[in-house]
Structures are given as C-alpha cells and as structure tokens.
Amino acid sequence: MSQRRTWRPEALARLRPGVSDALLAATLSAVLGGLSAPVALITQPHSTAIPLLVALFVAHLALAARRTRPLPAFLLVSLAIGAALLISAFALFLPSTLVFPIALYSACAHGRGRTPAIALAAGVVLALAATAAFAGSPQIQAANAPVPTLLLAGGLLAVVLAAWSLGLAHRTRLASLAEHSRQEERARITAEMHDVIAHSLAVIVSQAKGGRYAPELAGASLQVVEDTARAALTDMRGLLGVLRTDHPGATADRRPQPGLTDLPDLVTRVRATGLTVRLTEHGDRHALGATTELAAYRVVQEALTNTLRHAGAKAAVVYLTWSAVGLTVTVIDDGAGPNGTEGHGLSGMRARTEAVGGRLTTGPGPDGGFLVSAWLPVRP
C-alpha cells in the first residue's frame, strides 16, 4: 500500500532556488498584476494601457530570476519599469512597480562583487528619472493633483535606500552564516582527525611494543599495524577530501563514514593489541541516521583508545542497549579509573554526542575501572 503524502510548509525550502523563485514571482505577478491591470485599463486609454501592462509584465517575468541571476534580473526590471514610466507617468501609482524595490533588494542580498553598488546607482537614476517624468507629465498636471517635486524625489530615494540597506544587511547575514558553517565543519573535521589519529597510533604503538618484546609474534603485529595504518589513511583521505572541495576542480572522497556495522572490525583491531574486548548488544535495532551512527562509533573508538593509552586495563566491555527512544552505548574497562581531568578525547565525545541530541556520562565503573556511557536518540 502506498503511503499518503502530505504537503508541509518546509517543503518549499527544499526546492531548487530557480523553482522556488519562479513560484514566488508567479504569486507576486498574480497579486500585483491582478491589482494593476484593472486600474490601468480604467484610468488609461487602451492605446496606453496595453503597452504599459506589457512593460510591467516583462518586469514580473524578470523577477523570477532575482536570486539565480540577481544583477541581470534587476537591470531588466529597471528597464521595464523605466519603459512603463515613459509610456505613462501614471505607472508610478500601479502596484506592479513594487517589483522594483524587490529586485533591488535581491540584487544587493544575493549579487556578487560590485552588484550592490551598480544596483544603488541604477536605483538612484531611476528614482530621479521617475520624478522628472512625473513632474513633466501633462496627464498628471491635467489631473490637478500636483505633488511637490522634492517630496516625490525624497520619497522615491528613501524607498531605494531602504531596499538597498535591507539587501546589504541580508547579504552580511548570509556571509556570517556561511562563515559559521565553515568553522563548524572545520571543527568537526578536527574532531574526526583526532579520533582517527589517536586510535590508530595507540594500536600501532601497542603492536610495535608487542613485536619488540615477543619476536615470535612480530609477523602478526606488523599485519595489524599495516591494517590499522591503511584504515587510518582511508579515513584521513576522506576527511581531507572535504577540505579539498574548497578549491576549484577538487572532488571529495565519497567513502562512507563508519557506523554500527563497523564496530566488530574496530573491536577486532583493538583485540589484536592484547586487550580483551567483548561487544554485547541488547534489544531491537532502530534506524539512527548516518550522523548518529558515526557519533556512536566514535564514542566506542575514543573510549577504547583511552583504555589502551591511559587506563592500564586488561579487558573492556562494549554494551549496545536499544530502547524504543534511543541507543545507550556503554564502555567499561578494568583499568585505573578516572584521574580527575577531562582531556580532548572526552570533551570531543561529549560535544559529538550533544550535537546529535544525546548526552554523555563518564566516571568510575561499578566494579572499578572507567565507564563511558552515551545515550543517542532514535530519530523518526
């Protein structure tokens, strides 16, 4: 049976910019054009109203590209509005002229390089030209409703400056959000690199030490070193590939990030160092999502790495306990227990867990040693 699909408000945000802008332009055209057409047809002779509405229709069409092609769209809107004013200064009273400040705002908000400066200059020129056309229009003078020229110019320039200022403010906000996203991504990559390098080096050092004191096991130790180093290089290549996408023509490594299905391989690598590790799972598995699964994997990896490096433990147990609302990942060893400080590894685990809506608990185990427990939510 096919599931019934419902429309949600956020669905519009997932559309491509060109599609969503076309829908917005069509809506504005329907509203503003629907208000402008009757007024123009009633107040103007048909020989004037028809070309006037055609010019305004071109302005509405250009508005559809206000984000994908902000500067060309704004210039075309400006030309269309200018043509409408040349046909009849009465166009200044029509609702369709509101597309001009909208296009100006979009050009400043989404344009690149010198687009805001060009848009401001064009806006000032059009405002002064509209004032001159309005002041010298015989039709307006015949209507016996004079408007002070300075007042009209000041009002139009105020609209131009307001749209320009709001566009620049939005442009600054978008740039700030983009920079914040870049900083967050780099912080995430730093945490990933720490986890990969710390775990891999801990395993390699342990194996090198074992091969040194037990020459008969040197072959097996070197094999573990090779496998661990190869896995670390693969992970680092994927992480560095994300950074390389900042350069033109670069592509990122598309290898998937590790998840719950990779935990047995992780446990096997750690066992090869001589640490006895047991992996136990209780309950029915649920879908966590790639980010949450990666967080679970990194918690286990960092906890076992700390056990190898600091605890002096001989054994560790990894528990995966499922419930209807989440997964609890617990790692307990029989080592020395907490030393009262929280290093980069534990703080990284805590930040990673909280980033996916979970929580992390650390401290002494029930029978000594060290305990790391992370609760991760199940996402619907």
Side-chain angles (χ1 to χ4, degrees):
M1 180 184 298
S2 60
Q3 293 183 346
R4 181 182 179 184
R5 302 185 64 181
T6 58
W7 175 262
R8 296 183 179 181
E10 64 270 17
L12 183 61
R14 295 194 294 268
L15 295 175
R16 293 180 301 170
V19 176
S20 59
D21 283 332
L23 290 175
L24 179 59
T27 303
L28 286 174
S29 297
V31 175
L32 299 179
L35 294 173
S36 300
V39 175
L41 291 172
I42 291 173
T43 59
Q44 303 294 309
H46 281 77
S47 59
T48 301
I50 298 303
L52 176 62
L53 292 177
V54 170
L56 295 178
F57 180 72
V58 171
H60 285 296
L61 286 181
L63 198 65
R66 66 186 186 89
R67 284 187 60 187
T68 55
R69 298 290 187 272
L71 183 57
F74 168 72
L75 294 178
L76 185 55
V77 167
S78 300
L79 290 175
I81 296 297
L85 290 171
L86 287 177
I87 295 170
S88 173
F90 185 78
L92 198 61
F93 293 106
L94 297 179
S96 288
T97 56
L98 290 176
V99 299
F100 176 76
I102 294 173
L104 175 59
Y105 165 85
S106 300
C108 295
H110 306 293
R112 297 180 179 179
R114 301 176 62 184
T115 298
I118 297 173
L120 177 61
V124 170
V125 169
L126 186 60
L128 296 178
T131 302
F134 189 87
S137 172
Q139 185 180 15
I140 298 299
Q141 294 175 356
N144 202 19
V147 177
T149 303
L150 290 179
L151 179 62
L152 178 61
L156 294 178
L157 289 175
V159 171
V160 169
L161 289 176
W164 180 75
S165 301
L166 290 174
L168 284 185
H170 188 66
R171 177 191 181 99
T172 303
R173 178 175 174 271
L174 290 177
S176 176
L177 290 174
E179 180 61 27
H180 181 67
S181 298
R182 284 193 291 268
Q183 294 298 331
E184 282 189 340
E185 182 67 10
R186 278 158 175 75
R188 184 190 68 80
I189 293 172
T190 300
E192 291 288 324
M193 299 253 324
H194 170 271
D195 291 344
V196 170
I197 294 173
H199 170 75
S200 301
L201 289 181
V203 173
I204 290 172
V205 168
S206 176
Q207 288 299 300
K209 187 183 296 183
R212 179 181 174 187
Y213 290 105
E216 67 278 4
L217 299 177
S221 297
L222 290 174
Q223 183 63 50
V224 174
V225 168
E226 179 186 352
D227 294 341
T228 303
R230 182 178 290 111
L233 285 174
T234 299
D235 288 343
M236 289 182 64
R237 189 179 296 115
L239 293 172
L240 293 176
V242 176
L243 294 178
R244 285 198 297 271
T245 57
D246 292 340
H247 302 282
T251 56
D253 195 312
R254 298 297 182 181
R255 291 180 178 85
Q257 293 292 333
L260 296 179
T261 57
D262 299 289
L263 284 179
D265 293 337
L266 173 65
V267 169
T268 300
R269 289 199 301 270
V270 176
R271 281 176 185 158
T273 66
L275 181 70
T276 301
V277 184
R278 181 162 52 93
L279 175 62
T280 303
E281 186 170 1
H282 301 283
D284 297 327
R285 279 199 178 193
H286 301 285
L288 288 179
T291 304
T292 307
E293 283 205 19
L294 176 61
Y297 180 90
R298 294 305 188 199
V299 166
V300 175
Q301 183 184 54
E302 183 62 28
L304 293 178
T305 300
N306 288 340
T307 297
L308 286 172
R309 295 172 59 190
H310 308 301
K314 296 181 180 179
V317 183
V318 179
Y319 296 100
L320 302 180
T321 306
W322 294 89
S323 67
V325 295
L327 167 67
T328 301
V329 179
T330 305
V331 182
I332 307 175
D333 62 47
D334 59 356
N339 58 9
T341 61
E342 183 172 292
H344 293 293
L346 289 179
S347 61
M349 277 193 286
R350 190 178 307 282
R352 190 187 299 279
T353 303
E354 292 174 353
V356 296
R359 55 181 179 270
L360 184 77
T361 303
T362 61
D367 299 318
F370 194 73
L371 177 145
V372 175
S373 180
W375 179 81
L376 305 168
V378 171
R379 300 293 185 187

